[in-house]
Amino acid sequence: GPEAVTPGLEEQEAATFAHFSMVQHKKPERILLIGGGLRGTLSEIAKHPVERIDYIELDEVLTKVARPYVSPATLQALADPRVRLIHTDGRLFVKASKEKYDMIIVDVPDPATAVLNRYYTREFFREAEALLNPDGVFVIGTTSTPDLRGIAIANRNATIYHTLRTAFSRVLPAGERFVFYFATNAPGQVSLDVSTLQERYHERNIETEGFSHHHFQTLLQQAQLERVNWIVRNHGRN
């Protein structure tokens, strides 16, 4: 609520999602954000020196009802002239749009229903890739477990990885209880190198309570990265 002095847990998670995603592009200017804006992802993305953010939210009534309860930073981001709030179905927007973006960031729940699964399909990934500039980056993620323990979790996350590979030549998974997937066709764009991402973050002079350059060291522990990347590439395959 508006009385909160410091960011809550959800806002901190949104800050991690936003900044870890945004530094995967060397110079992102045009962003498409599908979902997640009201929880804080939009306001954190807006702290980067971007030119435009198209924010897709399905329900106009939800946006209106949420305004008295979201953080002041989110209200400020919604009023930012760089932000274009579009009330439509995100899947339909990607299918029909003729726009071009440097980044497409999908912040939706896990594919637990047919409606949500539409954002994790080969068809959607290929349509999203078509909206990206040649050096563009696509970002999506799912909840997970340490070392992807559990056959169902390993099956799902490995499937997402291999499905992304049908649309993108380079896909980097990272994370533990939440797995990010960074996908691109541009060499040298996405990275899991701590110093590279810290340098990009520092160059943008970002000030936020929910994230700092130290987070990259926690997010990118080498042994954990190697395990997760091995599992999503090899699980269920000879």
Side-chain angles (χ1 to χ4, degrees):
E3 73 281 356
V5 178
T6 57
L9 178 61
E10 186 177 47
E11 287 180 319
Q12 291 176 7
E13 291 176 347
T16 298
F17 185 87
H19 297 301
F20 195 20
S21 299
M22 289 296 291
V23 295
Q24 294 301 323
H25 195 290
K26 296 175 183 177
K27 191 179 179 182
E29 295 180 347
R30 294 172 63 87
I31 315 298
L32 174 62
L33 172 64
I34 300 177
L38 298 179
R39 77 180 183 117
T41 305
L42 175 64
S43 61
E44 296 298 328
I45 290 175
K47 293 175 181 177
H48 291 253
V50 301
E51 292 181 359
R52 178 167 143 184
I53 306 169
D54 284 353
Y55 166 39
I56 308 298
E57 191 63 66
L58 175 62
D59 193 342
E60 186 174 1
V61 175
L62 171 64
T63 305
K64 186 179 298 183
V65 169
R67 282 181 181 269
Y69 304 99
V70 299
S71 69
T74 295
L75 290 175
Q76 184 178 353
L78 289 170
D80 191 318
R82 298 173 299 165
V83 174
R84 184 173 69 155
L85 174 59
I86 304 169
H87 289 107
T88 187
D89 179 78
R91 188 71 178 77
L92 178 62
F93 180 88
V94 169
K95 182 184 290 291
S97 178
K98 304 299 182 185
E99 302 280 354
K100 284 290 185 180
Y101 298 97
D102 297 309
M103 297 194 73
I104 297 176
I105 300 175
V106 182
D107 189 4
V108 299
D110 290 348
T113 67
V115 170
L116 292 168
N117 188 63
R118 300 178 305 141
Y119 292 99
Y120 296 84
T121 63
R122 176 180 57 192
E123 292 78 11
F124 174 65
F125 293 156
R126 289 179 176 176
E127 289 167 359
E129 190 276 336
L131 295 187
L132 288 169
N133 289 319
D135 62 349
V137 175
F138 177 84
V139 181
I140 198 167
T142 57
T143 56
S144 185
T145 57
D147 299 334
L148 272 70
R149 293 175 190 147
I151 293 176
I153 291 292
N155 282 346
R156 186 192 66 191
N157 288 7
T159 298
I160 292 171
Y161 169 80
H162 289 289
T163 306
L164 277 165
R165 284 299 308 273
T166 66
F168 298 93
S169 60
R170 184 164 174 77
V171 180
L172 294 181
E176 186 175 38
R177 297 187 184 276
F178 184 89
V179 174
F180 297 82
Y181 297 88
F182 306 121
T184 187
N185 289 319
Q189 188 69 286
V190 297
S191 175
L192 298 180
D193 178 70
V194 172
S195 59
T196 297
L197 300 182
Q198 286 180 332
E199 182 178 354
R200 294 180 186 178
Y201 188 77
H202 277 305
E203 286 175 350
R204 300 175 193 178
N205 297 316
I206 297 164
E207 295 183 8
T208 183
E209 294 183 29
F211 193 85
S212 78
H213 67 280
H214 297 297
H215 280 76
F216 294 113
Q217 294 174 319
T218 303
L219 291 165
L220 297 169
Q221 298 180 39
Q222 191 60 35
Q224 193 271 341
L225 277 177
E226 291 176 357
R227 286 195 297 271
V228 167
N229 275 266
W230 190 91
I231 292 169
V232 297
R233 286 170 168 80
N234 297 284
H235 175 76
R237 293 170 182 260
N238 294 327

